[in-house]
Amino acid sequence: MIDRPSLIRFGGIAVVLLLAACTTPTPYQAAEDGRDGYASQKLTQDRWRVSFDGNSSTPRATVEDYLLFRAAEITKEQDAAQFRIVDRETEPQTRFVGSGLGVGAGFLFHRNTLGFGGVVNAQPITRYTAYMEIQVLSAEAVAGDPNVYEAEAVLSTLASRIVIKPPS
């Protein structure tokens, strides 16, 4: 037989996992009005900073694919065929959500706990933010440079993996 604290603890974990399962991955969209998505900033005539923020249901590979896709779109918008990745980074942000027991006003009670304090069973929830600085190339690059991408090839290769948010 399961004791009451264990039942409460397992119930709390089930609720957390159920809520996490209900979240859908971040679609390919501009990061406006506090939403996750891509952002772009022109730094110089031929350099751009691009980022993509995904939610906790968006896998790292998807965040990185969306980032590359956005870099290729910018390149095409600038009437160029290629871009060079100058700098690239993907940052994980992990928080722990779980079930814990706490004491308040002399009573033992169950609560959902964020962070480390008092957590009995914590589940890691990770979201990814990827950053890239690109140089849009106005002329054909030197063959064999592993940091140079053909924009059209990136767009066609990744197109089937891009989930665009439907219009509201």
Side-chain angles (χ1 to χ4, degrees), residues 36-164:
D36 292 326
Y38 65 79
S40 313
Q41 178 184 13
K42 188 172 187 173
L43 302 173
T44 66
Q45 186 62 30
D46 65 345
R47 288 192 184 234
W48 293 76
R49 180 179 299 125
V50 186
S51 65
F52 192 90
D53 289 316
N55 63 22
S56 60
S57 293
T58 310
R60 179 182 181 137
T62 300
V63 169
E64 292 175 344
D65 283 350
Y66 287 4
L67 184 68
L68 269 173
F69 194 80
R70 181 64 187 141
E73 283 184 330
I74 289 170
T75 302
K76 295 299 283 182
E77 290 167 4
Q78 300 301 304
D79 294 322
Q82 298 176 320
F83 64 95
R84 174 181 287 122
I85 297 176
V86 178
D87 190 27
R88 181 180 192 168
E89 183 176 349
T90 302
E91 295 179 352
Q93 298 135 14
T94 302
R95 63 185 172 100
F96 292 86
V97 179
S99 177
L101 294 175
V103 177
F107 297 98
L108 187 64
F109 66 93
H110 176 266
R111 61 187 167 89
N112 284 334
T113 306
L114 298 176
F116 293 97
V119 172
V120 174
N121 288 310
Q123 299 296 320
I125 306 292
T126 302
R127 54 183 290 143
Y128 296 95
T129 300
Y131 306 91
M132 182 185 297
E133 184 177 322
I134 64 167
Q135 178 184 18
V136 175
L137 302 173
S138 57
E140 291 296 316
V142 177
D145 186 339
N147 295 314
V148 173
Y149 291 78
E150 295 287 334
E152 196 59 51
V154 170
L155 292 172
S156 64
T157 300
L158 295 179
S160 65
R161 296 185 227 166
I162 305 300
V163 177
I164 298 175

